[in-house]
Amino acid sequence: KFYIMIPVNNKSKPIIAITGISSFVGVNLAIHFAKNQFLVYGIISRPFHDYKDIRLKRLIKARDSGVILSVLDITRKGDINKFINKERPVYWIHHAAWTENVNSIDFDISMAMKVNVEPLRELYESLKDNGCKGVILTGSNQEYGDNESVSIESEMCMPTTQYGLSKLAQTVTVNQLCKEFNLPTRVARLFNPIGNLDNPSKLLPTIIQTIQINKIMDLSKCNQRR
């Protein structure tokens, strides 16, 4: 008997590439689109076995949901172009960002610009050349700065953190690039998303876990203002 292995043509599905899927938001986006008739390439910046703890758990969940894990260092010139020329994504969700010490005075703004801003021109050039239909970029509420009232788009952004400054630079850059390359782009400025696969050490997940086991949790006097 002879058995012929005929590969399933998964590329009949529209292809979407999502960067930064080891993060809470990134992995949930990847899983959502994989469950909704997309072929999803979940992009990670280093090999799978280098991840641990909650980030590893997210990648395993993504992989088990049908997401194709792809290693791509967006800071290496030429690598974005190679990836896009090969896979030809129809849509691109850009969630990758430098977030180490994100709210600290020790935040590395030069590294943030290298990750958050510098790769964008190569990204748009490659996407346009390969027929991409649109880009979604996840921004941050920290782009607005500290406001006493509701943040609205018509006001000038005055970020008060280095991370917020790097994300605002990213938003301004893609605004320029989407016009230059005529590539539809949307920026979603996220505030405080919570949900499945969030970092268990963050405040709200910790409170939820404490309630679930019927324990009392010590908090501060809650005089902080956001």
Side-chain angles (χ1 to χ4, degrees):
K1 293 183 179 180
F2 295 92
Y3 296 90
I4 302 174
M5 300 296 293
I6 303 175
V8 176
N9 183 19
N10 285 328
K11 289 201 174 185
S12 61
K13 297 180 179 180
I15 298 173
I16 186 167
I18 305 175
T19 63
I21 71 152
S22 67
S23 69
F24 160 60
V25 171
V27 71
N28 277 284
L29 285 170
I31 292 170
H32 170 78
F33 283 104
K35 290 180 177 179
N36 285 274
Q37 305 305 310
F38 282 86
L39 180 61
V40 179
Y41 285 89
I43 295 173
I44 51 181
S45 60
R46 56 186 187 273
F48 175 82
H49 55 73
D50 285 354
Y51 290 85
K52 61 179 69 174
D53 302 326
I54 185 62
R55 289 187 178 272
L56 176 60
K57 183 178 179 181
R58 290 167 183 155
L59 294 183
I60 292 172
K61 180 71 173 179
R63 184 188 61 189
D64 291 348
S65 300
V67 176
I68 301 170
L69 301 181
S70 302
V71 179
L72 170 62
D73 182 353
I74 62 172
T75 65
R76 288 182 54 179
K77 194 166 183 62
D79 283 12
I80 290 175
N81 188 49
K82 290 177 184 177
F83 175 84
I84 293 173
N85 285 343
K86 179 183 177 184
E87 307 302 348
R88 302 177 64 86
V90 180
Y91 303 102
W92 186 281
I93 295 181
H94 201 62
H95 187 61
W98 180 260
T99 58
E100 189 171 330
N101 296 323
V102 65
N103 293 313
S104 170
I105 59 173
D106 296 323
F107 181 75
D108 190 342
I109 185 67
S110 61
M111 191 65 187
M113 297 300 284
K114 181 179 180 180
V115 176
N116 301 357
V117 179
E118 291 180 14
L120 294 174
R121 172 161 289 277
E122 182 182 344
L123 175 66
Y124 270 74
E125 287 177 344
S126 300
L127 290 174
K128 183 64 177 180
D129 289 344
N130 284 277
C132 178
K133 292 184 177 180
V135 178
I136 296 175
L137 182 134
T138 51
S140 169
N141 67 292
Q142 292 194 34
E143 295 177 54
Y144 294 110
D146 297 333
N147 298 328
E148 292 294 327
S149 58
V150 173
S151 298
I152 58 176
E153 298 307 308
S154 59
E155 292 181 351
M156 181 180 294
C157 289
M158 294 293 289
T160 52
T161 66
Q162 294 288 286
Y163 172 70
L165 179 61
S166 73
K167 292 297 285 184
L168 180 59
Q170 188 180 54
T171 295
V172 172
T173 302
V174 299
N175 184 52
Q176 296 169 345
L177 291 171
C178 78
K179 294 174 181 177
E180 179 180 345
F181 291 97
N182 193 27
L183 186 56
T185 302
R186 296 291 182 268
V187 176
R189 286 178 175 159
L190 307 183
F191 279 72
N192 292 77
I194 61 171
N196 189 34
L197 298 172
D198 201 355
N199 189 332
S201 65
K202 290 169 63 176
L203 176 61
L204 292 178
T206 302
I207 292 173
I208 292 170
Q209 293 166 32
T210 305
I211 292 172
Q212 286 177 330
I213 59 175
N214 199 29
K215 296 289 185 179
I216 293 174
M217 179 178 178
D218 290 330
L219 298 174
S220 70
K221 293 182 180 179
C222 296
N223 293 325
Q224 302 94 328
R225 296 183 64 192
R226 177 62 187 247

